[in-house]
Each structure stands twice: as C-alpha cells, then as structure tokens.
Amino acid sequence: MRDIDHFIVGGPGGSAGRFGDVFDPNSGQVQARVALGDQAVLDRAVAAAQAAQPGWAATNPQRRARVMFRFKELVEARMDELAHILSSEHGKVIADAKGDIQRGLEVIEFACGIPHALKGEYTQGAGPGIDVYSMRQPLGIGAGITPFNFPAMIPMWMFGVAVACGNAFILKPSERDPTVPVRLAELFREAGGPEGILQVVH
C-alpha cells in the first residue's frame, strides 16, 4: 500500500502515528494511506517558509515568472499521469480530471505574467501638492485549505499567484485525494521553485 507524506522541508514530516485512508472510488478499496500532521509538522513547515520567503521575495519578478513558465510546462507534460492519479482518488472520469487540471493551469498562465501585474501606479497632482503612488509587494506566508472536489484546480488557484508574487505558501489539501497536490508541489520544486516556498501539510 502507498504511503502519502507531507511535502515539507527536511523530508517526511511524520504523522504522530495518525493516518487517513485514501480510497479508490472505482472499487471502494483502500489504495493508500496519508500521514496526518500535528502541530510539530505545521511548525516545521512554517519555520521553513519563514526562512525561504525573504530570498524568494528578493528574486526579481522576471525570474519568478520563469519558474512559473517551467512549472506550467511540467504540469502539461505530466497531464495524463496527474489525471489518472486524480481519477483514482476522486472518481472523476479522465476527461473531467484533465479539465480540473487545465482550469488550474489557466491561473498559472496568468501568474506567468506577474511582472506586469506587479507594476505599481503613480498619479501626479491627485490633489493640491499631492502625488499618489502604489507599490505591490509580497506579504509573507499564505496558507490555503482546499476541498476534495477539485484537487488540482483550487490549489493552483490559491498558490499560483501567491508564489509568483514572492510569497511562500502552505497548502492543506483534502485527505481524501491528497496525491495530486503533493505532485504539484514536487513539480514546482522541479521547476526551480526554492525549497520551502510551496509546502503541503496533511
């Protein structure tokens, strides 16, 4: 039986002895078990995100965009693999599973244009002797808890723009279909995303 672990800095996060069953909806059989985190696992992920985020924020937006482009390419190249995993854990037919992934990729495509989206604004003479300007800067660490029904789309909706803007992100996906979110984090790392910028805690 497969074991699905957290995707955090330092390797397997441990489970405090707690696991959740991951079913195959096609057969009703347990096909894997997912490690369930605790406060210590979350603390490790947060500490790693805090350490990694300032360097990522200091990376210029063009370089961050290149990582997003590469991530998009890797997801597209592994579309069939990801769709079959998604189908085996969620129960969607393959065509619907691919649609789930593709709709997430549409946000990643937007994130590839982040250098333009991050541009600030300047207004001269907004009032008597008043000029106004805005700057768009990273916030720090984001987090998202995503539902079981769109295990690829909604995570990419959440983390795609967040990491492209220079933030770190900790994702808590549904324990019912957790493999695709972990694979997405692995692919982001393979694309050149720094360790600690995108982590998955179950």
Side-chain angles (χ1 to χ4, degrees), residues 70-88:
R70 180 64 180 140
F71 173 69
K72 176 181 175 293
E73 290 171 357
L74 290 173
V75 173
E76 288 172 337
R78 290 162 175 79
M79 178 70 78
D80 287 341
E81 170 203 340
L82 293 169
H84 279 86
I85 293 169
L86 196 156
S87 175
S88 75

Side-chain angles (χ1 to χ4, degrees), residues 148-170:
F148 80 98
N149 55 331
F150 290 98
M153 180 182 78
I154 296 177
M156 283 193 274
W157 281 2
M158 287 190 171
F159 73 70
V161 175
V163 298
C165 286
N167 301 293
F169 198 86
I170 298 171

Side-chain angles (χ1 to χ4, degrees), residues 78-195:
R78 290 162 175 79
M79 178 70 78
D80 287 341
E81 170 203 340
L82 293 169
H84 279 86
I85 293 169
L86 196 156
S87 175
S88 75
E89 291 184 354
H90 181 280
K92 294 184 181 190
V93 297
I94 297 298
D96 201 15
K98 287 183 176 180
D100 184 330
I101 298 163
Q102 185 58 49
R103 287 189 293 276
L105 280 174
E106 289 169 3
V107 172
I108 301 303
E109 289 170 353
F110 172 81
C112 289
I114 210 65
H116 180 73
L118 285 176
K119 289 179 180 178
E121 298 173 342
Y122 179 79
T123 303
Q124 185 175 9
I130 299 172
D131 297 338
V132 177
Y133 71 90
S134 64
M135 298 171 64
R136 296 187 171 125
Q137 299 178 325
L139 295 173
I141 302 171
I145 300 172
T146 55
F148 80 98
N149 55 331
F150 290 98
M153 180 182 78
I154 296 177
M156 283 193 274
W157 281 2
M158 287 190 171
F159 73 70
V161 175
V163 298
C165 286
N167 301 293
F169 198 86
I170 298 171
L171 175 67
K172 189 277 173 197
S174 172
E175 69 282 2
R176 295 177 184 271
D177 45 13
T179 302
V180 167
V182 171
R183 286 292 292 129
L184 292 174
E186 291 170 349
L187 292 174
F188 177 77
R189 185 79 182 90
E190 185 180 337
E195 190 175 48

Side-chain angles (χ1 to χ4, degrees), residues 2 6 13 34 39 49 78 125 134 140 162 191:
R2 284 188 304 127
H6 315 281
V34 58
Q39 188 66 49
R78 290 162 175 79
S134 64

